[in-house]
Amino acid sequence: MASATPPDAPAPPAFTPREITLTMSGLIIAMLLAMLDNMIVAPALPTIVGDLGGLNHLAWVTTGYLLASTAATPLWGKLGDLYGRRITFLSAIGIFLLASVLAGLAQDMAQLIAFRALQGLGAGGLMVGVLAVIAEIVPPRERGKYQGMMMAVMPVAMIGGPLVGGFITDHLTWRWAFYVNLPLGLVTLVVCWYTLARLPRGAAATGATRPRIDWTGAALLTTWITALVLITSWGGAEYAWGSPQILGLAALTVAAFAAFVLVERRAAEPVMPLSVFRSANFTLAGALALVVGFVMFGGVTFLPQYQQFVQGSSATNSGLLLMPMMIAAMVMSLAGGQFISRTGRYRALPIAGTAMLVLALALFATIDTGTSRTVTAGYMVLLGLGMGCLMQTTTLIAQNSAPARDIGAATGAVTFLRNMGGSLGVSLLGALYTSHVTREAGELGGDVTQMTPELLKSLPERAREIFQEAVTGGVITTFWWAGAVAAAGFVLAWFIRQVPLRGYDEPAPRKSRTSGEAMAENSSK
């Protein structure tokens, strides 16, 4: 492993409650911007695919976004540590807005995927920046309620996003699903320009140290995660699992990952400090973040397919039908944040959250073409409660396990793992979904990958039934796989230790002790 962890950086200046509230206003708008985009685009995907062509590229509209944000989050976190949160955060907003304009101008699926990837690059900076700023101005013991407030933005985005996206798709054009980011983004730029001015500049920005950006580590990170996602996307669909293409990507994944680990062990300022993984709690929190990303992005991406093609919902209504899940997530996130802040305890939340995810996904795997919207709404409530237990808690545990000088990189690492779970979830589940639909609906003839809800209505009754059964079977397949991943997360959650949440005057643990020592210490407390 790397050498011993350096001493923590000096604690950031204390923020008054008023200053925290003012700063939070800018962060909430920025988080809303990052989360709103994917939610607005989701209801428009069937129409986008029908217009630009290719169901086989459906997953990549989302995967390209998630993949770029996944690879970028550790780098954004480290840049924030070096140059300060404000300049990196504003840069991320600018990149995001530029990419939104370009995505709205896309003329084919390849352009759209490329510009969505650029959007993801900016979104990665938004997401890790918000969490890192909160970590810098609020001590862990009080952070639960503020992160709970921040995670409450997610339901607002996920309820309002699909509603806006559906309205745009039904009444305007899908291109406005990207252009709508501009007014909110400009407001975000102005607000954050002023509210983040209170934050200190990084050591590299002030000239106190010479910046040593780990570009090699960032390039290797991007290489192995991209190769891994390509394997899950193409394996068994574009190429056979034993084909030279898939085997070559597997070799590239292993080689790039091994090189990445070697580089990070030796880098002066690693983009992802391996020392943070010495903490068992940090590693477990990262693994659970990966599980949440896999389940959340997979479910949100493919539920509208079932709602529009099988249940007959419009794009607008399919967005509204996600409300039970999002409201449940909001309520649980706020309640969990208050619980953590008042008691300082959090271990029960990951266990309960993963248990609810497993149960909800198992129930979703029992749907058929006749399942009512009321029944699926009940399943979505349970799924939302599980996500609400996990979203903020995994980040809090990870931040509490890292030294203050690496808080940005540690936040980037756990956000990276959550986004990697989303990237793998969408690509793997997308490949399974597409394979099932094309196989089961193949007897219809023609190119079923270009099917849209409107076109489906014009087909003969038997043809509609065949396609709807294929879509239902594809969605069930995705939920079974997501349930298996959630079950693994449930097992991991039991190994999380209850470590006291510290204030700024209390340093993070330097090195993991043996399990016996840790258990003895926790018992005494």
Side-chain angles (χ1 to χ4, degrees), residues 163-502:
L163 180 61
V164 173
F167 178 85
I168 288 172
T169 303
D170 288 340
H171 301 286
L172 299 173
T173 169
W174 60 263
R175 298 182 185 279
W176 278 96
F178 300 104
Y179 297 149
V180 74
N181 291 329
L182 298 180
L184 184 61
L186 292 175
V187 171
T188 306
L189 269 177
V190 173
V191 173
C192 289
W193 178 271
Y194 290 102
T195 60
L196 301 186
R198 177 75 170 80
L199 295 178
R201 299 171 64 193
T206 60
T209 61
R210 181 180 178 182
R212 297 180 180 180
I213 302 174
D214 183 19
W215 295 115
T216 302
L220 289 170
L221 175 70
T222 303
T223 299
W224 73 258
I225 185 58
T226 301
L228 181 59
V229 170
L230 287 175
I231 291 172
T232 59
S233 299
W234 289 349
E238 298 286 334
Y239 305 101
W241 286 106
S243 66
Q245 291 86 350
I246 298 300
L247 294 178
L249 286 171
L252 178 61
T253 301
V254 173
F257 179 77
F260 172 74
V261 172
L262 290 175
V263 168
E264 297 306 278
R265 287 168 61 94
R266 293 171 170 78
E269 291 288 350
V271 69
M272 186 182 292
L274 299 183
S275 59
V276 297
F277 289 96
R278 292 175 180 172
S279 166
N281 263 17
F282 182 93
T283 303
L284 289 168
L288 289 178
L290 187 147
V291 169
V292 173
F294 191 101
V295 171
M296 182 178 69
F297 286 107
V300 169
T301 298
F302 298 102
L303 265 177
Q305 298 290 310
Y306 175 77
Q307 292 167 334
Q308 292 184 42
F309 282 118
V310 180
Q311 293 184 324
S313 301
S314 66
T316 301
N317 288 338
S318 70
L320 288 173
L321 290 175
L322 295 175
M323 285 182 64
M325 179 171 64
M326 298 311 128
I327 292 175
M330 177 181 67
V331 171
M332 182 57 73
S333 181
L334 290 171
Q338 290 295 327
F339 173 78
I340 292 173
S341 291
R342 290 176 181 176
T343 67
R345 308 192 68 83
Y346 50 78
R347 184 172 180 267
L349 292 177
I351 296 173
T354 49
M356 286 187 280
L357 289 184
V358 172
L359 179 57
L361 292 166
L363 291 172
F364 266 118
T366 66
I367 62 175
D368 55 36
T369 55
T371 301
S372 69
R373 297 176 184 175
T374 302
V375 171
T376 53
Y379 299 164
M380 281 189 279
V381 168
L382 190 59
L383 189 64
L385 291 174
M387 290 192 296
C389 284
L390 290 163
M391 286 293 291
Q392 64 159 323
T393 310
T394 52
T395 301
L396 180 63
I397 294 172
Q399 290 175 339
N400 193 56
S401 305
R405 72 179 299 274
D406 287 329
I407 200 70
T411 304
V414 74
T415 306
F416 162 80
L417 290 169
R418 182 182 298 116
N419 288 348
M420 186 175 76
S423 298
L424 294 176
V426 172
S427 61
L428 177 60
L429 299 180
L432 292 170
Y433 173 80
T434 301
S435 175
H436 185 95
V437 171
T438 53
R439 182 178 65 252
E440 297 299 320
E443 64 182 89
L444 295 178
D447 186 4
V448 296
T449 65
Q450 303 225 358
M451 184 68 68
T452 65
E454 290 302 318
L455 181 58
L456 181 65
K457 295 176 183 178
S458 66
L459 296 181
E461 181 178 355
R462 180 53 187 158
R464 287 200 305 273
E465 291 176 353
I466 291 174
F467 189 80
Q468 289 174 336
E469 289 170 359
V471 168
T472 302
V475 171
I476 288 174
T477 300
T478 66
F479 283 124
W480 273 122
W481 279 89
V485 172
F490 176 70
V491 174
L492 291 175
W494 285 94
F495 291 93
I496 289 179
R497 295 183 293 114
Q498 178 63 47
V499 177
L501 295 173
R502 68 184 192 275

Side-chain angles (χ1 to χ4, degrees), residues 104-131:
L105 297 173
Q107 299 301 307
D108 56 46
M109 189 63 76
Q111 290 182 13
L112 180 61
I113 292 172
F115 297 143
R116 285 282 287 164
L118 185 60
Q119 263 191 316
L121 178 65
L126 293 180
M127 290 183 285
V128 72
V130 165
L131 297 175

